[in-house]
Amino acid sequence: MSIPRETAERVDRENGEIRAELRRMSGLQRAYAWTVDRLIYRMERAGTPPEPGDIHELVREHMRTGA
């Protein structure tokens, strides 16, 4: 039993849309990370380092492991 052409085309289109959204979200995540890095750097230069509670546990884990 084969998948009808319309279904295959729809799935391909939806997959393309999902991939495009993932690229946009990845770009946004990188932009946020870049911004936060700069803000933390400026805070530290001003003598106001972030407090431990200011950093979300998922972010702390990423900073620790890089994953």
Side-chain angles (χ1 to χ4, degrees):
M1 180 177 206
S2 66
I3 297 175
R5 174 175 284 180
E6 297 82 19
T7 300
E9 290 171 353
R10 180 183 53 81
V11 169
D12 286 345
R13 185 176 58 253
E14 289 173 356
N15 284 342
E17 292 169 0
I18 291 168
R19 284 192 295 273
E21 180 66 18
L22 284 173
R23 281 192 296 275
R24 284 190 296 272
M25 293 301 296
S26 292
L28 180 60
Q29 184 269 332
R30 283 190 300 275
Y32 267 98
W34 179 86
T35 301
V36 170
D37 184 60
R38 287 186 57 125
L39 291 173
I40 289 173
Y41 172 75
R42 288 181 180 194
M43 288 172 61
E44 288 173 345
R45 279 186 49 204
T48 311
E51 296 180 11
D54 292 341
I55 302 172
H56 192 280
E57 183 56 35
L58 289 175
V59 173
R60 191 182 326 279
E61 179 181 342
H62 180 266
M63 292 168 72
R64 185 174 55 250
T65 65

